[in-house]
């Protein structure tokens, strides 16, 4: 699925979202139309007014309803979306969603919005925070994840998308957001990570292509649940301190 938002089919609407300077909210139906035009298999909007531990996190388009876990709170939603967002505490808060066969495909696009001022300084793996993760231990372990991380042990405000195809390279390849463009500035940022069956992958941030690569192809799917806002399943998982909204797969 190629993201219509990423490709700016609704450019003026998305620009107002990213700058977060709209004088009045955009029509929520336009936002929904932009997402639904992409025909997502799952879309977690996080509009729930109650987000206590074990409350349901609804899948807007499918049956992959998840659960809020840990110290999750309600946050103001993405400007113009007409809804709410989810706030993670950086310690134990995350969303767990099922990863059924209907969602699993080696050709995929995952997109979300986030805002945070958390330092993104820890080396990958596991990095400082997991945004969306199906990570399993070791390289070539049939997984994918998007995380906040640095390879230099300093806070650069960068994010990484990683795939681990079975039979792939010795170390899992990753795509990294641009240097000198910190994303942990407290503003909303839009992220899209795509992969094809042959292993071609792309990382977009705020509608701009930041990185491309190829993992050699192969299976990157497993049957563990999807974790959003932190990884509580992988023993080395880390958690986001910040907000997320409008996660679509």
């Amino acid at each position: 699925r190629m993201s219509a938002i990423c490709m700016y089919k609704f450019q003026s609407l998305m620009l107002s979202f990213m700058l977060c300077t709209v004088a009045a909210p955009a029509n929520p139906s336009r936002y929904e139309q932009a997402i639904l035009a992409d025909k997502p298999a799952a879309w977690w909007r996080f509009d729930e007014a109650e987000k206590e531990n074990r409350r349901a996190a609804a899948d807007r388009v499918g049956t992959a309803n998840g659960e809020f876990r840990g110290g999750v709170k309600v946050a103001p939603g993405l400007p113009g979306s007409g809804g709410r967002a989810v706030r993670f505490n950086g310690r134990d808060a995350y969303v767990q969603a099922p990863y059924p066969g209907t969602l699993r495909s080696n050709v995929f696009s995952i997109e979300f919005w986030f805002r945070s001022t958390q330092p993104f300084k820890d080396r990958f793996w596991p990095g400082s925070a997991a945004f969306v993760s199906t990570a399993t231990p070791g390289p070539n372990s049939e997984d994918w994840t998007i995380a906040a991380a640095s390879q230099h042990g300093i806070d650069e405000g960068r994010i990484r998308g990683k795939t681990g195809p079975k039979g792939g390279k010795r170390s899992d390849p990753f795509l990294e957001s641009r240097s000198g463009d910190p994303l942990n500035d407290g503003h909303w940022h839009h992220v899209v990570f795509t992969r094809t069956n042959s292993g071609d992958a792309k990382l977009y941030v705020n509608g701009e292509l930041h990185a491309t690569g190829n993992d050699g192809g192969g299976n990157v799917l497993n049957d563990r649940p999807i974790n959003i806002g932190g990884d509580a399943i992988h023993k080395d998982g880390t958690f986001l301190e910040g907000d997320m909204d409008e996660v679509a797969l």
Side-chain angles (χ1 to χ4, degrees):
R1 185 178 73 87
M2 282 303 288
S3 166
I5 295 180
C6 173
M7 301 309 294
Y8 280 89
K9 291 182 179 178
F10 295 81
Q11 188 171 21
S12 60
L13 179 63
M14 291 303 104
L15 182 59
S16 67
F17 285 166
M18 289 189 297
L19 293 177
C20 295
T21 57
V22 286
N27 185 346
S29 66
R30 291 183 64 198
Y31 185 85
E32 290 191 40
Q33 290 168 11
I35 296 290
L36 293 174
D38 287 338
K39 299 181 180 179
W43 181 16
W44 299 280
R45 303 207 66 186
F46 304 139
D47 279 344
E48 291 81 2
E50 303 291 337
K51 290 182 169 64
E52 287 84 1
N53 187 38
R54 300 290 176 169
R55 290 264 187 176
D59 174 4
R60 164 73 171 76
V61 296
T63 59
N65 297 318
E67 282 188 346
F68 298 106
R69 301 280 181 90
V72 176
K73 293 184 178 180
V74 177
L78 180 72
S81 68
R84 303 176 182 90
V86 58
R87 178 159 294 166
F88 301 106
N89 63 14
R91 299 184 303 276
D92 65 354
Y94 66 103
V95 174
Q96 181 154 301
Y99 195 25
T102 53
L103 291 187
R104 290 182 224 151
S105 172
N106 284 303
V107 180
F108 66 84
S109 172
I110 178 77
E111 68 176 283
F112 59 88
W113 292 82
F114 84 93
R115 64 178 174 184
S116 176
T117 57
Q118 176 183 359
F120 294 172
K121 60 182 177 57
D122 298 303
R123 295 179 184 273
F124 190 84
W125 167 258
S128 297
F131 291 109
V132 187
S133 179
T134 67
T136 51
N140 315 136
S141 57
E142 300 176 302
D143 61 0
W144 55 266
T145 187
I146 308 170
S150 167
Q151 284 305 93
H152 306 291
I154 59 175
D155 181 14
E156 301 174 289
R158 301 174 78 178
I159 65 173
R160 293 182 168 221
K162 187 247 2 163
T163 52
K166 184 176 182 179
K169 302 172 183 178
R170 179 174 298 179
S171 60
D172 291 342
F174 59 83
L175 304 183
E176 190 170 33
S177 63
R178 281 197 302 248
S179 175
D181 188 6
L183 302 176
N184 53 351
D185 57 5
H187 297 297
W188 283 107
H189 297 284
H190 183 240
V191 177
V192 181
F193 183 53
T194 70
R195 182 189 188 260
T196 69
N197 200 49
S198 61
D200 289 321
K202 296 180 180 180
L203 177 65
Y204 297 87
V205 179
N206 296 335
E208 297 183 358
L209 180 62
H210 275 222
T212 63
N214 185 285
D215 62 24
N219 184 57
V220 296
L221 307 175
N222 58 62
D223 59 1
R224 61 151 280 182
I226 296 172
N227 278 184
I228 300 168
D231 194 333
I233 294 178
H234 195 291
K235 65 181 181 65
D236 297 321
T238 53
F239 296 83
L240 176 69
E241 184 177 358
D243 301 344
M244 289 184 67
D245 206 3
E246 307 293 351
V247 179
L249 175 64

